[in-house]
Amino acid sequence: QVQLVESGGGLVQAGGSLRLSCAASGTFFSISRMGWYQQAPGKQRELVAAITKGGVTNYADSVKGRFTISRDNAENTVYLQMNSLKPEDTAVYYCHARERERTLIEYDHWGQGTQVTVSS
């Protein structure tokens, strides 16, 4: 079972920066993919950025050039550096981890969410 603990959210002015962290713990064989999703009030949860164990990344168009995702495989931790924040980035950010068993069966796990609020 995988537990995800997030940290780093908060209130920041437009143009500012925040860094989110998410650490995976528990008993598991492998974490293949980690990422961050955002969910604004009244909207669906959407991918912000993701990274594979091999370091391949993908980003939502809205954050390209402003956000950077990185990962420490030894610590099973994923980071999201958010720069040049905009009010439209305001949302609850959820950490996601895809667990892969030896059998290659995969399970998705989610963190509890951390609020990011960007004031104009």
Side-chain angles (χ1 to χ4, degrees), residues 14 66 110 113:
R66 300 188 298 123
W110 296 91

Side-chain angles (χ1 to χ4, degrees), residues 33-105:
R33 181 177 183 268
M34 299 187 79
W36 292 92
Y37 288 69
Q38 64 178 196
Q39 187 166 19
K43 294 188 176 181
Q44 289 189 328
R45 193 173 296 186
E46 299 178 334
L47 174 70
V48 176
I51 185 168
T52 68
K53 196 169 186 177
V56 177
T57 60
N58 67 296
Y59 295 90
D61 287 342
S62 60
V63 307
K64 285 180 181 177
R66 300 188 298 123
F67 292 10
T68 302
I69 191 169
S70 60
R71 177 173 174 171
D72 183 335
N73 287 330
E75 298 293 330
N76 290 304
T77 300
V78 65
Y79 305 95
L80 185 68
Q81 178 66 43
M82 303 186 293
N83 298 329
S84 302
L85 282 160
K86 304 175 180 180
E88 51 263 42
D89 295 319
T90 296
V92 177
Y93 284 71
Y94 293 92
C95 177
H96 167 262
R98 180 158 293 164
E99 176 190 3
R100 178 176 292 171
E101 295 186 335
R102 292 178 187 271
T103 59
L104 302 184
I105 296 173

